Amino acid sequence: MDLQTTIYLVVGASFALYIGIAIWARAGTTSEFYVAGGGVSPRLNGMATAADWMSAASFISMAGLISNMGYGGGLFLMGWTGGYVLLATLLAPYLRKFGKFTVPQFIGDRYYSKSAATVAVLCLLVASLTYIIGQMTGVGVAFSRFLGVTKETGVYVGMAVVFTYAVFGGMKGITYTQVAQYIVLIFAYTIPAIFISMQLTGNPIPQLGLGSSLTGQDVSLLAKLDQVVTDLGFGKYTTSTAGSTLNMFVYTFSLMIGTAGLPHVIMRFFTVPTVAAARSSAGWALVFIAILYTTAPAVAAMAKTNLIRTITPGVVMENTDVYAKDVAIEYEQRPDWMKRWEMTGLLKFEDKNGDGRIQYYNDKTTNEAAKAKMDEAGWKGNELTVNADIIVLANPEIALLPNWVIALVAAGGLAAALSTAAGLLLAISSAISHDLVKGIFIPGISEKGELMAGKVAMACSILVAGYLGLNPPGFAAGTVALAFGIAASSLFPAIMMGIFSKKMNKEGAIAGMLSGLFVTLFYVFAHKGIFFIKGTEYLDTIGGANSFFGITPEAFGGVGAMINFFVAFLVDKVTKEPPEHIQHLVENVRTPRGSKAVDGAHA
Amino acid sequence: MEKSGEAYWKATLGLLTKILAVWFLVSFGAGILFADLLNNIYLGGYPLGFWFAQQGSMYIFVALIFVYAKKMGEIDRKFDVHE
């Protein structure tokens, strides 16, 4: 059976599985399945949360970026897992005790103000919409390869599928469907990694393989990779930091608190049965997330190794000189996977020195020794452009794994992208229809009208995200990182202060959220264009790229959060303290007892 | 809040401080600030700083949450505020 047919079959079978489970689950007791975690063990609930959380950014994009960044890529790994520690210790149990269903509801009640709730809705919308742009980028990549079309057509197809999927919606709330999605995506991610780890190191566990020696050699995979990429003019794999140590620090911080501040993640913990369950659910979710996240660095380093092995055979496994005349493969002899990805426009070759061979290296290197050898070898510039977002999907093809593995990865990528995109769209539609339209503007709206408002909001979000996804502000994971920065700078401080400070008042919270959001957006838009529209960047105004201590826009959410805390603190000091009943409310939220009762008893 | 309530909150914050200190040390400390220094030590084929940034911190995060959940359960029962 040819590859394309196998892909259709496996992807089709995975969708049939999700729909089948949805139908089977509905036939049982319906109501149970709509409350995530109701009567489901914390382990299954953790699995479902993991599926909800791991998106196209985690599955499709992240390892590709780590592959290019090396050590510095660890910021995604630490940032997107470390946030769960904050979530479990600072927010989840208290929000569960509070007993509301959305983040704007919590902000509105805790800060006794509809304006605060409206500002929270605004922050939520900006963060979620940015997140979806990143998803659409990833979905576009997956569909372009899957259907053999250009990236643009891939995005259009993705928009249509995501819309259908999100409107079909009921699937979202069903824990068992998400459990199935988790299983598909985790097998899709780990199976090729196991194969590749075996091939390269003989160790079937990728987490250990990454720290092992290459098959038949005395040198470790990482040491060899360090040497080869340095020869090719790239930074040393195990030490290349992301910009600067300061930038990596702030970037990691931004992703961590962004994780804890993203509404669609927090929402999962509102509905667990008890406060104690909220604490341990976060742990189980992280267990299942960590299975993918600890595999990702192995996928990244091994994909880089295999890419170099493909283009310059013998360099990694047989110590062939990388600058030797005939070592790079001829373009006409390139493997089939390269031809397939060329169709999407995400992999490009340009024969700059006219030798008919592929030179893949960093032509902007500052390594003089390497540069001299490159010039001597007659290289006239890098000839192969590989989009970072294709690395994970192409990885099994690069390693020449069986067709069913390649097909499984396609199914996993789509499961990851669709489940998260649908979750985000539901968060947006509930924020607009429930928190904004019904809660603030038209309290008397009919249920039908509310549902309609939600659907319109979803459709608009997909159109906007799809349009911006055609010319994305960065790779999928980079765009998603911007969304985390926005959540970090606006929502996280307000929620945290709402629990840990009895005296924080509405004026402080509102001023904090607005200043954090606007400062962050100002810096991000300067680099990426106003509302991410190409051509509207204003870098001169802020004094050039990364002008704030070399901090990149993706990392700036960490700075925005500090501004948020600071402004909130100052404004709180000069305005009057919150009413007595709010201070009691905060005391009550801090103890678990009474979490089931509407009006909890005091300690 | 009554006296026991205050003591409960104090115990909670004490545990929180310890957990977040470890959280900070393994990621921002070992994984970023001291990574270069730790890279002189090897764990198998892994330079140690690189290992903390791309493997170790994540294993420790998982353990931290379960330790936190267990200890909080003990504190809840001690102050009789459990569900």
Side-chain angles (χ1 to χ4, degrees), chain A residues 310-517:
Chain A
T310 307
I311 295 159
T312 48
V315 165
V316 176
M317 297 314 239
E318 290 152 30
N319 294 317
T320 311
D321 177 14
V322 74
Y323 306 111
K325 200 170 170 357
D326 298 333
V327 65
I329 55 162
E330 285 173 44
Y331 178 67
E332 290 308 321
Q333 306 295 317
R334 69 193 184 285
D336 287 342
W337 68 265
M338 284 187 147
K339 295 178 191 160
R340 291 195 286 263
W341 280 100
E342 274 173 330
M343 272 196 285
T344 66
L346 295 165
L347 183 136
K348 289 191 198 94
F349 170 73
E350 187 195 346
D351 195 2
K352 288 180 181 157
N353 64 353
D355 68 350
R357 291 176 186 275
I358 303 174
Q359 272 92 41
Y360 171 67
Y361 68 107
N362 178 16
D363 50 14
K364 291 176 191 68
T365 183
T366 50
N367 177 347
E368 290 302 328
K371 205 170 167 62
K373 287 185 183 165
M374 290 164 187
D375 289 340
E376 198 184 319
W379 296 356
K380 296 255 163 48
N382 175 44
E383 299 179 344
L384 187 73
T385 321
V386 185
N387 184 305
D389 282 348
I390 76 171
I391 294 285
V392 169
L393 293 174
N395 195 28
E397 302 176 77
I398 300 175
L400 308 174
L401 296 183
N403 282 354
W404 67 268
V405 180
I406 300 171
L408 185 63
V409 173
L414 290 174
L418 291 179
S419 64
T420 306
L424 285 163
L425 285 168
L426 284 167
I428 290 180
S429 85
S430 75
I432 288 190
S433 64
H434 193 78
D435 295 331
L436 208 60
V437 175
K438 192 182 165 88
I440 291 161
F441 293 124
I442 323 171
I445 193 171
S446 69
E447 204 165 295
K448 218 174 163 186
E450 192 188 330
L451 213 64
M452 196 61 211
K455 294 229 164 101
V456 172
M458 257 194 230
C460 292
S461 317
I462 293 176
L463 287 177
V464 173
Y467 171 74
L468 294 169
L470 289 172
N471 286 300
F475 295 116
T479 309
V480 167
L482 291 173
F484 279 75
I486 293 165
S489 65
S490 57
L491 292 169
F492 176 81
I495 304 173
M496 196 192 142
M497 287 184 292
I499 298 162
F500 285 83
S501 163
K502 271 192 272 186
K503 305 279 184 198
M504 182 49 64
N505 61 15
K506 67 173 175 192
E507 290 84 359
I510 294 174
M513 281 192 281
L514 287 176
S515 51
L517 179 70

Side-chain angles (χ1 to χ4, degrees), chain A residues 71 207 211 275 279 294 593 595, chain B residues 31 45-46 55 76 81-83:
Chain A
Y71 156 75
Q207 287 84 344
V275 172
R279 296 178 192 135
T294 53
R593 177 152 301 167
S595 64
Chain B
Y46 280 115
Q55 293 280 311
D76 285 353
V81 293
H82 57 284
E83 291 144 297

Side-chain angles (χ1 to χ4, degrees), chain B residues 19-74:
Chain B
I19 296 281
L20 292 187
V22 178
W23 164 82
F24 184 86
L25 279 178
V26 297
S27 51
F28 295 99
I32 298 176
L33 297 175
F34 305 115
D36 280 344
L37 203 67
L38 292 173
N39 279 341
N40 295 316
I41 307 169
Y42 282 83
L43 190 73
Y46 280 115
L48 195 59
F50 176 86
W51 182 80
F52 266 107
Q54 302 212 345
Q55 293 280 311
S57 55
M58 292 184 276
Y59 300 126
I60 297 166
F61 291 154
V62 171
L64 274 181
I65 297 183
F66 284 110
V67 169
Y68 170 78
K70 187 164 173 289
K71 296 264 176 199
M72 269 316 284
E74 286 165 14

Side-chain angles (χ1 to χ4, degrees), chain A residues 17-29:
Chain A
L17 175 72
Y18 311 146
I19 295 167
I21 291 175
I23 294 169
W24 166 76
R26 273 181 200 191
T29 47

Side-chain angles (χ1 to χ4, degrees), chain A residues 7 21 62 125 154 167 175 208 229 282 337-339 343 345 382 410 418 424 435 496 540 543 545 556 563-564 580:
Chain A
I7 293 182
I21 291 175
M62 185 175 69
L125 289 179
V167 170
T175 308
L208 299 177
V229 295
W337 68 265
M338 284 187 147
K339 295 178 191 160
M343 272 196 285
N382 175 44
L418 291 179
L424 285 163
D435 295 331
M496 196 192 142
D540 292 342
F556 198 77
I563 293 172
N564 183 333
E580 194 72 11

